[in-house]
């Protein structure tokens, strides 16, 4: 076998935090290199880098390792940078790339005082097909170089190297000099994405006064492991629009995003480069569409040259350098180097949250020092770079965990109806709670509690639910009084249609029977003609074999406003945390406590917990290692239709029952124009029309939920409107929301562990009972007597416990 050179290159700086280039200091002797290594590039005024050549034992392979000349030979501040494998066109281009990347690594390390200096390993392959390279042998060659540096160089993954390569390297170095997340769940790609997200949020906060990104359109260029993570997180954080682009179009197909083909020609407010270096050329910078305000990403050296960057600066585009925005992996390295035990045992979201926080603070500080002027960013870098003297940033992580930990009496997971109602009820009892909601608001647009309106009614085919509504109305009055918000509007409710038997919403004749039995005021219409006479807008009922029953005291609840009002009514007894997703929940912690970790890295310790997150229920149960429930998720659609104001007053709140026909589930409803306050009407009126049957098959989780819904179902709704409300105009918009359903349409209200209660399976009928349900859940958490019989809502009933169907222990067995 032919022996070929491996070259290690080091890019160096003076030991000052005020500049990123300078004349190079004299090189120390490095006797451990021996005869197998030689310095092929000395530092000079133009480039303070050392390039060291070692021996490679493969044909067509050379390895170049770049070391900062200031750390070369000094183990107190070792070099750090990953191993990159590429088919370079020449030795010179490979060495130049190693030097460029190592200098960039020094900028990152200096920016955060990681305790490292910059370095890079570049492997030049003469083979276009990189799969022909013997990876284990290559890593053994790199290990020889690392041993020769005696702790002066640490490395890990980079482009075209993998965890398997790092396993080979760890073995060859005897578990030394490799920082690659070994024996840890921390993913360095997610760590890098966290620094990008943190820098984005810090930039927006500095420039616009808040972290709200709901008015911004993003383009993520490059959808590999880092870019795809960034895109998903921007969607979760409520970005107005996230566009994705990749050389491989399939990679850009990310849920919630819009795949585009031309990133440089498509308008956006925020460019997020996460792909190849040097992509923003002078031409791209000049011709990028108007409207762009920011450029922050993961790409090392995103600009082709200084002129391209200057063009962006002069256009007023705020760019936060990658020494801040792409530093996530080296920040994780700093922790791994300084506290390996913590690194190997920490829950990854804590690491990602810390990286996000310090990146955000650094980006915000830089923009502030530059007085929000892009042209002044470079000259102000020195103002945010700490001295190299001091404790490495990785040693701050443990304190950050402590500072981002809190205690409460009850943890509430989910900020929809049940969560906010429980917070309200607990507050009345003097119990403190922390409510965690993954969306950007209470009852966010992605959840079933969101919207203008939900019906309230005593008109049920079940006496039990009818009596529940009477109790709930008293509690709704308490919420209105304490919050100072009007939530309920009485406008009557008409059930009408064919006799099709009982449905998820009951039936006309079943409701009449209960109303008669409970002596509740109502009006009965025996024929379609009587309905048409009473409601001119429903003239289409004439001549049809319909009957109807109307409860004049029914009405609608302002849904989203109600969730906000209940949280407001809870006052300072409830701490609401938005944009906070629970990623782990341990209900068996020391002292019987519940300990949860959020996606932002926060740790919340509570005496007990309520899981009330609708269609995400089973994912939280899974994270807690609790048995999951037999729940179905329906995709349920509705829309707004324009109507003349003089006609709108004649359209009642109504529920129409008709026979199923293929995908048409037969259940339709209409809300009056007074229930559509969220629409900017411009003097126009709108009614809300929807269906109470699912689009397509029911789902078991939210991974494939389609918020666009089905055009076929929308056409059915359009057809129903034309048939039953012919005076109503065209469809204005449409929505698709998740309904969490149980097989028997009864909710789940129960304890699933001694310190964990659950509400789920609202089945499209829960909202009207809101505060009463909160009282029920509060009673489970406090051990008090519930206001109603909870036996019908047991999590152990055969139709709900997934254990019955999949052969796992039941809740009763597991308690």
């Amino acid at each position: 076998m032919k022996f070929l050179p491996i070259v290690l290159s080091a890019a160096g700086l003076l030991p000052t935090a005020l500049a990123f280039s300078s004349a190079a200091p004299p090189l120390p002797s490095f006797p451990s290199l021996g005869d197998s290594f030689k310095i092929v590039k000395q530092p000079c005024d133009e480039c303070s880098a050392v390039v060291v050549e070692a021996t490679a034992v493969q044909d067509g392979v050379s390895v170049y390792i770049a070391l900062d000349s200031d750390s070369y030979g000094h183990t107190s501040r070792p070099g750090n940078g990953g191993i990159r494998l590429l088919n370079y066109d020449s030795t010179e281009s490979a060495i130049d790339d190693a030097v460029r990347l190592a200098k960039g690594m020094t900028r990152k390390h200096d920016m955060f005082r990681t305790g490292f200096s910059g370095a890079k390993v570049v492997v030049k392959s003469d083979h276009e097909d990189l799969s022909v390279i013997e990876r284990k042998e290559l890593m053994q060659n790199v290990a020889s170089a690392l041993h020769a540096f005696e702790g002066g160089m640490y490395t890990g993954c980079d482009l075209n190297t993998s965890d398997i390569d790092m396993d080979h390297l760890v073995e060859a170095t005897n578990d030394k000099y490799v920082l690659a997340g070994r024996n840890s769940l921390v993913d360095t790609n997610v760590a890098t994405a966290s620094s990008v997200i943190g820098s984005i949020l810090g930039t927006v906060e500095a420039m616009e006064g808040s972290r709200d990104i709901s008015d911004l359109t993003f383009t993520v260029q490059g959808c590999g492991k880092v870019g795809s993570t960034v895109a998903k997180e921007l969607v979760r954080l409520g970005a107005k629009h996230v566009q994705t682009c990749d050389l491989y179009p399939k990679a850009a197909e990310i849920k919630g995003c819009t795949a585009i083909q031309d990133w440089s020609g498509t308008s956006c407010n925020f460019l997020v480069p996460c792909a190849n270096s040097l992509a923003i050329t002078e031409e791209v910078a000049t011709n990028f569409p108007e409207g762009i305000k920011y450029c922050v990403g993961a790409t090392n050296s995103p600009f082709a040259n200084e002129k391209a960057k200057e063009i962006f600066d002069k256009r007023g585009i705020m760019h936060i350098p990658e020494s801040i925005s792409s530093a996530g992996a080296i920040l994780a390295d700093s922790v791994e180097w300084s506290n390996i035990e913590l690194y190997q045992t920490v829950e990854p979201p804590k690491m990602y949250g810390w990286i996000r926080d310090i990146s955000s603070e650094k980006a915000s500080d830089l923009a502030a020092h530059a007085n929000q002027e892009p042209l002044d960013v470079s000259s102000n870098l020195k103002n945010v770079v700490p001295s190299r003297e001091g404790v490495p940033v990785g040693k701050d992580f443990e304190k950050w965990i402590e500072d981002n930990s809190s205690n409460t009496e009850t943890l509430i997971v989910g900020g929809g109806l049940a969560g906010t109602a429980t917070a309200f009820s607990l507050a009345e009892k003097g119990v403190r709670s922390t409510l965690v909601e993954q969306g950007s608001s209470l009852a966010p647009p992605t959840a079933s509690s969101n919207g203008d309106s939900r019906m309230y009614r005593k008109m049920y085919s079940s006496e039990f639910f009818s009596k529940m509504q009477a109790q709930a109305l008293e509690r709704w009055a308490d919420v209105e009084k304490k919050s100072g918000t009007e939530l309920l509007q009485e406008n009557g409710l008409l059930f009408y249609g064919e006799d099709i038997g009982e449905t998820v919403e009951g039936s006309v004749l079943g409701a009449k029977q209960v109303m008669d039995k409970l002596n509740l005021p109502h009006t009965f219409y025996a024929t379609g003609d009587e309905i048409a006479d009473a409601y001119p807008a429903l003239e289409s009922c004439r001549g049809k074999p319909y009957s109807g029953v109307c409860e004049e005291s029914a009405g609608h609840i302002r849904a989203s406003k109600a969730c906000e009002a209940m949280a407001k009514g809870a006052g300072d007894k409830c701490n609401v945390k938005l944009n906070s997703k629970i990623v782990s929940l341990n209900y068996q912690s020391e002292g019987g406590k519940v300990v949860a970790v959020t996606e932002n890295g926060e740790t919340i310790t509570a005496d007990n917990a309520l899981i009330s997150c609708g269609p995400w229920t089973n994912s939280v149960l899974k994270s807690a290692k609790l048995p999951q429930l037999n729940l179905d998720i329906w995709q349920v659609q509705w829309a707004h239709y324009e109507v003349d104001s003089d006609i709108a007053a004649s359209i009642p709140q109504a529920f129409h029952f008709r026979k199923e026909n293929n995908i048409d589930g037969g259940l339709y409803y209409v809300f009056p124009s007074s229930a559509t306050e969220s629409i900017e009407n411009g003097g126009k009126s709108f009614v809300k029309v929807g269906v109470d049957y699912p689009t397509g098959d029911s789902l078991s989780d939210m991974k494939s939920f389609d918020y666009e819904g089905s055009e076929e179902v929308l056409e059915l709704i359009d057809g129903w409107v034309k048939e039953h409300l012919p005076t109503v105009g065209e469809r204005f918009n449409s929505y698709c929301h998740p309904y969490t359903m149980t097989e028997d349409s009864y909710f789940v209200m129960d304890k699933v562990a001694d310190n964990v209660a659950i509400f789920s399976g609202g089945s499209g009928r829960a909202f009207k009972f809101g505060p009463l349900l909160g009282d029920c859940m509060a009673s489970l958490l406090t051990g008090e007597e519930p206001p109603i019989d909870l036996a019908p809502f047991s999590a152990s009933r055969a139709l709900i416990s997934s254990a019955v169907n999949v052969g796992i222990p039941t809740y009763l067995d597991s308690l």
Side-chain angles (χ1 to χ4, degrees):
M1 181 175 289
K2 183 179 178 182
F3 284 74
L4 295 172
I6 293 182
V7 181
L8 315 175
S9 158
L13 310 172
L14 282 173
T16 172
L18 301 182
F20 290 126
S21 63
S22 65
L27 279 179
S29 61
F30 214 144
S32 297
L33 288 177
D35 295 336
S36 298
F37 303 87
K38 66 178 181 178
I39 296 173
V40 297
K41 186 178 181 65
Q42 293 274 4
C44 60
D45 290 345
E46 290 75 26
C47 178
S48 52
V50 184
V51 180
V52 181
E53 178 181 349
T55 301
V57 193
Q58 283 188 65
D59 291 335
V61 174
S62 303
V63 181
Y64 303 88
I65 305 178
L67 275 168
D68 182 341
S69 59
D70 182 54
S71 65
Y72 181 74
H74 299 287
T75 57
S76 61
R77 188 171 182 266
N80 170 247
I83 303 173
R84 174 171 293 204
L85 170 60
L86 280 176
N87 172 230
Y88 289 95
D89 56 11
S90 68
T91 297
E92 291 74 18
S93 62
I95 292 175
D96 288 347
D97 201 30
V99 171
R100 176 183 65 82
L101 292 168
K103 290 172 70 175
M105 291 300 296
T106 292
R107 287 192 288 270
K108 291 182 183 180
H109 289 302
D110 275 350
M111 181 62 72
F112 290 95
R113 194 171 60 214
T114 63
F116 293 109
S117 184
K120 205 71 175 181
V121 181
V122 165
V123 180
K124 174 184 177 293
S125 169
D126 294 341
H127 312 285
E128 289 187 12
D129 181 5
L130 300 180
S131 66
V132 303
I133 295 174
E134 173 53 53
R135 297 298 185 106
K136 184 172 183 178
E137 196 170 53
L138 174 62
M139 292 301 121
Q140 290 171 342
N141 297 153
V142 174
S144 297
L146 295 176
H147 279 301
F149 288 128
E150 297 179 328
M153 168 73 183
Y154 287 76
T155 192
C157 286
D158 194 65
L159 190 63
N160 294 323
T161 53
S162 68
D163 290 341
I164 295 175
D165 296 325
M166 294 305 103
D167 290 341
H168 294 320
L169 190 58
V170 166
E171 180 182 358
T173 60
N174 297 318
D175 201 17
K176 295 180 179 179
Y177 317 131
V178 184
L179 299 176
R182 62 191 191 278
N183 302 318
S184 171
L185 295 176
V186 174
D187 185 330
T188 53
N189 291 299
V190 179
T192 299
S194 299
S195 61
V196 175
I197 290 292
S199 298
I200 288 171
L201 296 176
T203 302
V204 173
E205 184 174 38
M207 300 297 288
E208 303 193 10
S210 80
R211 294 188 169 202
D212 183 7
I213 61 173
S214 60
D215 290 331
L216 296 175
T217 294
F218 292 79
T219 291
V220 179
Q221 179 232 356
C223 299
K225 293 179 180 178
V226 174
S228 60
T229 302
V230 169
K232 293 171 186 175
E233 185 65 359
L234 289 171
V235 171
R236 186 183 77 85
L237 292 172
K240 178 181 179 181
H241 194 194
V242 180
Q243 301 168 157
T244 48
C245 186
D246 196 273
L247 288 173
Y248 302 95
K250 193 72 176 175
E253 296 176 4
I254 297 171
K255 187 175 181 179
C257 303
T258 301
I260 60 175
Q261 294 184 342
D262 180 12
W263 65 270
S264 64
T266 304
S267 179
C268 69
N269 308 122
F270 213 124
L271 176 62
V272 187
C274 295
N276 53 307
S277 300
L278 314 178
I280 305 176
T281 63
E282 294 175 39
E283 181 181 1
V284 169
T286 300
N287 297 318
F288 203 94
E290 293 297 322
I292 182 172
K293 299 194 287 185
Y294 310 110
C295 178
V296 178
T299 302
N300 290 310
S301 304
F303 294 99
N305 51 43
E306 278 299 313
K307 179 64 176 176
K309 181 181 179 304
E310 183 182 333
I311 292 170
F312 256 29
D313 290 346
K314 288 182 176 178
R315 290 184 61 183
I317 301 168
M318 176 59 73
H319 169 248
I320 298 299
E322 61 274 20
S323 56
I324 296 174
S325 62
S326 185
I330 60 103
L331 290 169
D333 283 350
S334 185
V335 176
E336 187 175 8
W337 182 51
S338 61
N339 192 335
I340 185 65
E341 182 179 356
L342 175 61
Y343 186 85
Q344 291 179 341
T345 58
V346 73
E347 292 180 86
K350 296 181 182 181
M351 176 72 74
Y352 307 145
W354 172 67
I355 291 170
R356 178 182 298 196
D357 267 13
I358 58 178
S359 301
S360 174
E361 183 179 359
K362 187 75 74 170
S364 181
D365 284 351
L366 177 57
H369 276 292
N371 293 315
Q372 291 80 43
E373 288 292 337
L375 284 167
D376 293 335
V377 167
S378 295
S379 62
N380 277 279
L381 280 171
K382 61 182 181 294
N383 293 319
V384 298
V385 179
S387 166
R388 286 180 177 174
E389 302 299 323
V391 177
V393 69
K395 291 186 178 293
D396 296 338
F397 180 41
E398 192 167 6
K399 186 175 186 305
W400 183 92
I401 294 175
E402 294 175 4
D403 292 343
N404 286 271
S405 299
S406 61
N407 293 278
T408 189
E409 292 179 82
T410 296
L411 168 66
I412 299 173
V413 184
L417 169 76
T420 55
T422 303
F424 178 81
S425 184
L426 288 172
E428 289 184 318
K429 302 175 187 296
V431 177
R432 293 181 299 110
S433 65
T434 294
L435 186 154
V436 176
E437 166 55 52
Q438 67 178 347
S440 57
S441 66
L442 294 171
T446 54
S448 55
S449 293
N450 178 267
D452 285 321
S453 48
R454 295 293 186 277
M455 295 179 183
Y456 70 86
R457 58 184 168 94
K458 299 173 188 173
M459 193 163 57
Y460 264 98
S461 297
S462 161
E463 291 183 45
F464 184 79
F465 283 115
S466 184
K467 292 175 180 177
M468 271 185 67
Q469 180 68 95
Q471 287 179 261
L473 288 173
E474 295 178 7
R475 292 294 283 139
W476 277 118
D478 294 336
V479 174
E480 289 182 314
K481 183 177 180 180
K482 285 199 172 182
S483 67
T485 308
E486 182 182 352
L487 300 173
L488 275 64
Q489 179 177 323
E490 184 178 298
N491 47 234
L493 172 63
L494 172 69
F495 271 21
Y496 77 101
E498 302 171 73
D499 181 10
I500 59 173
E502 292 301 312
T503 71
V504 293
E505 293 294 346
S507 68
V508 175
L509 298 181
K512 179 184 183 303
Q513 186 178 21
V514 170
M515 298 290 276
D516 286 338
K517 186 173 183 179
L518 298 180
N519 198 29
L520 296 173
H522 64 282
T523 301
F524 179 68
Y525 304 100
T527 66
D529 289 356
E530 289 183 16
I531 296 171
D533 289 340
Y535 300 96
L538 300 177
E539 177 62 27
S540 62
C541 293
R542 193 172 299 281
K544 292 183 177 177
Y546 285 177
S547 60
V549 59
C550 176
E551 179 192 348
E552 285 79 5
S553 62
H556 72 266
I557 306 167
R558 301 163 72 192
S560 294
K561 297 285 187 186
C563 294
E564 295 169 7
M566 287 188 285
K568 179 181 177 182
D572 59 8
K573 288 292 183 182
C574 178
N575 179 21
V576 175
K577 292 180 177 290
L578 302 176
N579 291 317
S580 294
K581 179 181 178 181
I582 296 294
V583 292
S584 72
L585 192 149
N586 182 0
Y587 68 97
Q588 296 176 316
S589 295
E590 186 177 351
K593 299 286 188 178
V594 176
V595 178
V597 177
T598 73
E599 199 166 48
N600 301 327
E602 295 177 273
T603 302
I604 304 169
T605 302
D607 297 332
N608 51 42
L610 166 66
I611 299 172
S612 57
C613 48
W616 293 275
T617 295
N618 277 333
S619 65
V620 175
L621 288 172
K622 184 177 181 180
S623 77
K625 297 181 180 178
L626 282 164
Q628 298 175 52
L629 301 177
N630 181 23
L631 301 170
D632 288 328
I633 300 169
W634 284 11
Q635 300 179 111
V636 180
Q637 295 184 236
W638 54 277
H640 287 117
Y641 291 80
E642 186 178 341
V643 60
D644 290 340
S645 297
D646 56 341
I647 297 175
S650 67
I651 297 176
Q653 180 168 290
F655 205 99
H656 180 215
F657 300 81
R658 69 179 185 184
K659 294 177 182 177
E660 295 184 21
N661 181 16
N662 198 9
I663 69 168
D664 184 348
L667 304 179
Y668 291 79
Y669 63 81
V670 57
F671 279 89
S673 59
S674 61
T676 58
E677 63 184 11
S678 68
I679 300 179
E680 296 291 337
N681 57 34
K684 300 176 182 178
S685 295
F686 297 86
V687 293
K688 172 183 172 183
V689 181
V691 298
D692 214 350
Y693 56 83
T695 294
D697 295 331
S698 59
L699 308 174
S700 60
D701 57 45
M702 291 295 288
K703 293 178 182 178
S704 59
F705 191 92
D706 182 5
Y707 283 97
E708 296 296 319
S710 160
E711 189 61 34
E712 194 172 6
V713 171
L714 287 175
E715 289 174 0
L716 288 173
I717 299 175
D718 290 344
W720 184 90
V721 169
K722 289 179 180 178
E723 178 184 354
H724 291 266
L725 298 171
T727 55
V728 169
E730 295 298 313
R731 180 177 3 121
F732 178 75
N733 56 22
S734 65
Y735 300 85
C736 185
H737 277 171
Y739 277 21
T740 311
M741 309 294 293
T742 62
E743 191 170 336
D744 58 8
S745 296
Y746 275 70
F747 324 135
V748 179
M749 293 192 287
D750 202 353
K751 294 184 78 171
V752 293
D754 288 340
N755 53 359
V756 180
I758 190 167
F759 177 90
S760 194
S763 300
R765 61 165 59 172
F767 209 101
K768 60 182 70 67
F769 306 114
L772 180 62
L773 301 181
D775 293 341
C776 293
M777 301 317 301
S779 72
L780 287 170
L781 294 163
T782 61
E784 298 177 3
E785 188 71 22
I788 61 172
D789 179 14
L790 296 184
F793 306 107
S794 168
S796 302
R797 65 190 194 269
L799 292 176
I800 292 303
S801 175
S802 61
V804 174
N805 297 322
V806 299
I808 60 176
T810 67
Y811 276 114
L812 293 179
D813 293 333
S814 67
L815 297 181

